[in-house]
Each structure stands twice: as structure tokens, then as C-alpha cells.
Amino acid sequence: MELKEYKNINEKVYSHTFNNGLKLNFIKKEGFKSFYVGLLVKFGSIVTKFTDGSRVQTIPTGVAHFLEHKLFSSADGEDITFKFSELGLDVNAGTNFQTTVYYFSGINNFDKGVNLLLDFVQTPRYTEESVESEKDIIIQELLMYKDSPNERLYFGTLENLFESYPIRNDVCGKVEDIRSTTKDILDLCHKTFYHPSNMEIVISGDLDPDYVLNLIEQNQSSKSFFEYRPVKVLFDDDKAVIKKSSINMDITVPKISVGFKFPYSIEPNLDKNYIKEENLLWKMVFVFAFGNRTKFAINLIDEGLADDFLDLSLLIDKHTGFFSITADTKEPEKLIKRIKNRVRSIAKIKLNREIFELEKRTIYGSFVKSTASVYGVSSLILDNIEDNTEFFHGLEFINSITPEMIEKRCASLKDFASTIFTIYPNSKDQN
């Protein structure tokens, strides 16, 4: 196993790639009783069209999430969750735009948990009947999210900013696409994306590295997989932006989102660490331009234009990204105008260097604090894998950030394509 030490945060990461392509990342956490295991698959909701070099495949929205649901079905029809519970282990999974992660934690039965995790994720046991019966469950989950004003604000902004890029779609998919998903489609995607070469397993705890490696080696050596063919995910051009839209919901105070679309490219940005670095920089833009320590944000509350401090929604990937400022307000039009004026004025912002260094130390401290648990350090590694980032690169990069880097991005925000999405309360006549 390859060992890399990060002495500034006292972490050791062991890495190994097995013959079938599965990559192991093990973080030694001495003195911890608990352990955490996460199995990441590079298949998320953003995949709706792809090719393995032979032909183009188009799939419904929400397939990655649907497949996550169905892999929890055991051969006898029992939910795999119960098998983990019998071992005293907490198991769950989550699908986002880019990846699906299956994970569990506990203090006992590590070996049984690892084998169970690898087996149920790599060996589907769902049937056509179970796929059909799952559709109503997933649709109910989707409708539950659509009943959430904050979820509607988020995806309403994305739908306005992106004409075709799949992050505009809820991870669950569309109702009609959930209905049209079949076992054959799930089988195709499992065969294509659930190959060990497209997976990484992250483990943290006070365990022996060689024991961990041998345990996984034994599990994988007993299985056979199709030959791996690298897949290219395909996207359509995306230019149009809806400048303004709104909906009504059962809320008491209007919600607004002023969103900005980063430059879009069908071809991915493959620069190592790009996503992590840009995320940190744009979060600092928000802190200095709209954060709760700024006079701008404090004045909005004092004047009654915002019910609380402004919030940030930020997403950056290899193709594009978006930055949105959201708030609850009784004066939506006035607040939107103030935010737009602020965007224009920060083009010439000059940062106070003393405050700038204080904010950097705050971010650095939060970063280090997040490594203080088996879950926290594993989550960082999983995020780094998803973002194509060197492990703990953020810690090094924070120290290199300059005021000029933030000022440059503040100046560019006014030139991005933008949208306004508002949720108004239903009127009394509509109730």
C-alpha cells in the first residue's frame, strides 16, 4: 500500500488499487473505537446520455437514484438495511449530481459489514416486479421534495439558469421518467458504471492497514466483472437563461433567489483541484460581499428588507456552476434591486487585509476541525474524489489565497448570465 502522511493535520492515508480497478483509501485514526466505510460510484443524476465508444445511450432522468434504491433489495426480498442492523451497523446511501455513495458505520463487525456492502452494491438482486413496485415510492419522495419551499427555490433557480444541462433536474428525476424506468435500464447502468474501475472505497478507523487490504482483496477475488470500457458522459449545448420567473406556495413570507450562471462548456475542465479551489474562492466572495459581517447584510436586516442574513447556494463542477443569493423577505422587489446594485458595486471592492487574514484562519480552523472524526475525515476524502482534488488540498490552498483573487471574482460576477426566481405566498383567495 502507498502511504502519504499529512503532518500538518496528523493524518495518514493508505492507498491501493486492486487488480480489478477498485481503489482503496484508508485513513488510520488511532484511538477511535468507531469506523466509517464509504463506497463511492462515479454515477450521479447528471448522467442522462453517454457512450462507451460503440454507441450513444440515452436514459431517463433519475436512474442513478432509482438504482441506489433497488440495490438495497436482497435476494429474499428483504431490505439490506435490516441485515446491517442485525450487525449493529448504521447503513445509508445518497445520490447527488455526480456520484452515488453507499456507507455504514459502527464499532463492531467491521469485516462482515465490508463484505455485505461490497456484495450488495456489486451484485444486483432486484426483480422486474420489485422495480415496478419501487416507482410509487420514489415518486412520493420526489413530491415530498417538491413540497419543500427551499427545494423549489433551489431547483427553480437551476431550471431558469440551465436550458438542458441535467443539474436542472431533481436527483429523483421527473415523474414520467421514473414511470418509464425498467429493469433493463437499471441493468445497463449497473453494468456500465458499477465496475470496480469506476469505484473507490474510503475507510477510516483504528484498524490495521494490511488487514483492511486483505479483507477487500478476498472479497473481490471471488467475483468476476465485465471488461471495463471507459464511458464518456455527453451533454448538449446550453445557452438560454430565463431572466425571471415565480411560483406560489403555501408560505407566509416570500422567498427570493438571485442566481448567476458560470461560463458553460460541453467539454469538461480537467484541471486537478479546479473545483475545490473555485469553491473556496467563491465562498469567500460571498463572505466579503454579502456575508453577515458586512454592512450591506446588516443594513438589510435593520431596514426590514431581509428576515435574516442572506444565504448562499453554490455549485461548481467540471462544466459550469452557479452562485445564488437567497433570502426570505416581505419586500422581494426591493431586496432584489439592492442585491443587483450590490453585485455592480463589488466590481470595485478592495478587501481589508486584516479582516481577510482573519477570515482565512476561520476557514482553515473549520477545515481542520472537520477531520476530527472518522465520518468527517472520510467525507472530506469522498468529496475530494468526486471533485478530482488531491486529498486535503484545500488546507494548502487556503493559505495561498490573496485579496486580489477574491477581488477578481467579485468583478466578474456582474458579467455572468443571471436570473431571478421568487416564491410568493398563496393569496387568501387561493387557499
Side-chain angles (χ1 to χ4, degrees):
M1 295 181 76
E2 178 184 346
L3 170 62
K4 187 167 184 179
E5 295 189 61
Y6 301 86
K7 295 183 179 179
N8 55 337
I9 53 173
N10 194 31
E11 296 290 353
K12 297 178 180 179
V13 180
Y14 297 82
S15 299
H16 178 78
T17 301
F18 297 95
N19 290 335
N20 62 12
L22 176 66
K23 186 172 181 179
L24 164 67
N25 301 285
F26 170 65
I27 308 99
K28 177 74 172 178
K29 299 291 284 184
E30 294 181 2
F32 282 73
K33 291 183 178 180
S34 61
F35 51 77
Y36 176 95
V37 180
L39 181 58
L40 179 145
V41 184
K42 297 171 185 177
F43 178 47
S45 66
I46 203 170
V47 180
T48 57
K49 185 164 65 171
F50 60 90
T51 180
D52 62 1
S54 59
R55 60 175 177 164
V56 173
Q57 299 280 3
T58 301
I59 59 174
T61 61
V63 170
H65 175 260
F66 202 131
L67 187 54
E68 173 216 314
H69 268 240
K70 289 318 304 166
L71 288 179
F72 275 89
S73 299
S74 64
D76 56 11
E78 184 181 29
D79 192 319
I80 293 291
T81 302
F82 295 117
K83 296 184 183 296
F84 279 93
S85 296
E86 291 171 354
L87 297 172
L89 302 171
D90 293 322
V91 67
N92 213 327
T95 302
N96 61 27
F97 293 128
Q98 304 290 343
T99 64
T100 305
V101 179
Y102 302 83
Y103 56 92
F104 73 89
S105 60
I107 57 176
N108 295 307
N109 292 316
F110 169 79
D111 53 347
K112 293 179 180 178
V114 168
N115 282 315
L116 184 56
L117 178 71
L118 289 168
D119 290 348
F120 93 79
V121 172
Q122 292 181 330
T123 310
R125 294 180 173 87
Y126 49 79
T127 62
E128 289 186 5
E129 291 76 16
S130 70
V131 169
E132 288 301 313
S133 65
E134 194 73 26
K135 293 180 179 181
D136 286 336
I137 296 172
I138 296 176
I139 290 171
Q140 287 304 311
E141 181 181 347
L142 172 62
L143 295 178
M144 179 185 70
Y145 289 132
K146 287 187 176 295
D147 283 338
S148 165
N150 288 334
E151 285 287 315
R152 289 299 300 121
L153 192 69
Y154 183 82
F155 279 102
T157 306
L158 287 175
E159 289 165 9
N160 279 2
L161 289 175
F162 297 98
E163 178 184 25
S164 61
Y165 192 49
I167 61 172
R168 74 189 308 276
N169 302 318
D170 192 287
V171 170
C172 293
K174 302 174 184 176
V175 171
E176 60 270 25
D177 285 348
I178 296 169
R179 291 288 186 203
S180 67
T181 299
T182 64
K183 181 178 180 298
D184 287 344
I185 292 173
L186 297 184
D187 287 343
L188 167 67
C189 291
H190 191 276
K191 176 182 175 181
T192 302
F193 294 99
Y194 276 66
H195 191 280
S197 293
N198 202 45
M199 295 180 175
E200 295 199 32
I201 187 166
V202 176
I203 299 174
S204 60
D206 192 359
L207 302 159
D208 177 65
D210 291 329
Y211 170 73
V212 173
L213 186 149
N214 291 331
L215 175 67
I216 298 173
E217 179 66 58
Q218 290 178 15
N219 178 281
Q220 295 298 281
S221 63
S222 65
K223 299 173 181 175
S224 60
F225 298 90
F226 292 101
E227 180 183 355
Y228 181 63
R229 301 185 67 173
V231 176
K232 181 178 182 180
V233 181
L234 305 174
F235 301 105
D236 296 325
D237 201 2
D238 192 309
K239 295 180 179 179
V241 170
I242 298 172
K243 293 294 186 180
K244 186 176 183 180
S245 68
S246 65
I247 61 171
N248 292 74
M249 294 186 72
D250 288 329
I251 56 177
T252 57
V253 178
K255 291 177 174 289
I256 64 105
S257 172
V258 181
F260 301 86
K261 178 181 180 178
F262 291 8
Y264 174 87
S265 172
I266 293 175
E267 293 304 316
N269 184 327
L270 299 178
D271 292 348
K272 194 78 171 176
N273 304 321
Y274 162 78
I275 295 175
K276 176 61 68 180
E277 291 178 0
E278 288 299 312
N279 262 288
L280 285 168
L281 291 169
W282 283 101
K283 285 176 181 177
M284 291 191 74
V285 167
F286 180 81
V287 167
F288 286 104
F290 307 98
N292 55 23
R293 295 182 186 178
T294 62
K295 289 182 179 180
F296 174 75
I298 293 170
N299 288 341
L300 292 180
I301 293 176
D302 289 344
E303 296 171 27
L305 288 182
D307 287 6
D308 204 342
F309 289 113
L310 303 176
D311 289 319
L312 168 69
S313 289
L314 174 67
L315 183 148
I316 298 172
D317 65 18
K318 298 173 184 177
H319 300 271
T320 182
F322 87 104
F323 178 105
S324 71
I325 302 145
T326 63
D328 292 355
T329 175
K330 299 180 183 66
E331 301 280 356
E333 299 304 324
K334 289 183 180 179
L335 179 56
I336 289 167
K337 184 176 180 179
R338 288 284 287 275
I339 291 173
K340 293 175 75 172
N341 287 339
R342 178 63 171 169
V343 170
R344 286 190 288 268
S345 69
I346 63 171
K348 297 180 180 179
I349 195 171
K350 295 297 178 184
L351 303 185
N352 180 296
R353 291 183 178 269
E354 183 177 341
I355 297 175
F356 179 79
E357 292 301 324
L358 175 62
E359 291 291 350
K360 278 175 54 173
R361 289 195 294 271
T362 300
I363 295 172
Y364 188 92
S366 298
F367 207 120
V368 173
K369 185 178 180 181
S370 66
T371 68
S373 69
V374 292
Y375 169 76
V377 72
S378 298
S379 296
L380 282 176
I381 297 293
L382 289 165
D383 287 344
N384 290 160
I385 294 168
E386 178 181 334
D387 294 342
N388 189 37
T389 302
E390 296 170 301
F391 295 161
F392 306 116
H393 173 74
L395 283 169
E396 300 174 9
F397 182 67
I398 290 169
N399 289 326
S400 69
I401 297 175
T402 65
E404 290 75 18
M405 295 165 74
I406 307 304
E407 291 165 358
K408 178 180 178 181
R409 281 156 182 80
C410 285
S412 68
L413 189 60
K414 64 179 175 54
D415 298 320
F416 289 178
S418 64
T419 191
I420 297 166
F421 184 76
T422 309
I423 304 179
Y424 294 103
N426 283 320
S427 67
K428 291 182 180 179
D429 294 336
Q430 292 173 307
N431 287 339

